[in-house]
Amino acid sequence: MLAPGARVPVSTLDPVLGPPVAVPDPDPERLVHLQFRRFAGCPICHLHLRSFVRRYEEIEAAGIREVVVFHSPPEELHPHLDGLPFPVVADPGKRLYEAFGVEFSPRSLFSPRALAPVARAIALGTGDILRGRQRPPRLRPRGGRFGLPADFLIGADGRVAAVKYGVHADDQWPLDELLTLATTTRRTATKR
């Protein structure tokens, strides 16, 4: 696991679509929010990412570059990329998950704190699938269903400014928390 202050173990990520993404961002004013999600079509991940899509202008205005990693292969991710304005990285070999210390566990779905969010995400996702707004996930996604989410806020110096390792499937930074962390990170960097 990486703690705040640790150097990020990557320098460039190759998204499924678009050019390579530098980590840290070459613009010294921008932070990188690196999200580790579960699998392509994950109902919880879908709801979470849609909340980021709705407020993407705020993310950009806050000087944050959003990058999302899934442990699914590109062919499983492609049907789920429509409308996502940020790079999505496929990591079917789970090399990035391992380098960042992101874990997999049955508790991702079976934690009591995950049960209500999982039920809500499935109900809303089923409605979106029936209306043709969302593609269903594979019945047996490569890499499994037991991934835990993780969030990393990476400063211009290539160090982890803030981190959250999820303990269940719906345990990630909400957007407002990310924006607050970005503001705090900038204030701290300015004082140095």
Side-chain angles (χ1 to χ4, degrees):
M1 292 186 146
L2 299 180
R7 275 231 173 263
V8 176
V10 296
S11 59
T12 305
L13 298 173
D14 291 313
V16 175
L17 301 173
V21 177
V23 178
D25 195 281
D27 180 344
E29 299 299 314
R30 287 177 68 97
L31 301 167
V32 173
H33 175 216
L34 186 61
Q35 292 191 48
F36 284 81
R37 301 288 89 200
R38 294 163 24 83
F39 57 90
C42 162
I44 292 171
C45 302
H46 177 79
L47 281 181
H48 181 69
L49 291 179
R50 292 298 165 201
S51 73
F52 277 64
V53 169
R54 280 191 300 277
R55 295 176 60 191
Y56 190 64
E57 288 179 13
E58 286 179 70
I59 296 168
E60 288 280 294
I64 301 168
R65 173 146 195 169
E66 200 63 44
V67 181
V68 181
V69 180
F70 282 91
H71 63 73
S72 299
E75 64 272 13
E76 286 185 21
L77 282 169
H78 271 287
H80 302 280
L81 298 179
D82 288 346
L84 296 181
F86 33 77
V88 175
V89 176
D91 184 26
K94 300 180 183 176
R95 288 185 198 98
L96 290 171
Y97 286 79
E98 185 176 321
F100 280 82
V102 181
E103 298 180 349
F104 296 80
S105 170
R107 75 177 181 265
S108 68
L109 290 176
F110 302 118
S111 164
R113 292 180 291 174
L115 295 178
V118 167
R120 178 178 177 266
I122 289 171
L124 292 172
T126 300
D128 283 346
I129 290 167
L130 293 173
R131 288 184 207 87
R133 294 182 195 158
Q134 180 182 336
R135 296 281 196 102
R138 288 187 173 209
L139 291 176
R140 295 176 200 257
R142 270 199 248 160
R145 295 183 179 274
F146 297 128
L148 290 165
D151 292 274
F152 298 85
L153 189 60
I154 302 164
D157 61 357
R159 294 187 183 277
V160 175
V163 61
K164 177 177 182 71
Y165 286 98
V167 295
H168 60 77
D170 191 42
D171 189 18
Q172 66 260 321
W173 287 335
L175 182 53
D176 288 329
E177 186 172 350
L178 171 65
L179 295 172
T180 299
L181 286 166
T183 300
T184 303
T185 297
R186 285 206 172 75
R187 269 194 225 126
T188 304
T190 305
K191 291 178 182 178
R192 288 184 202 157

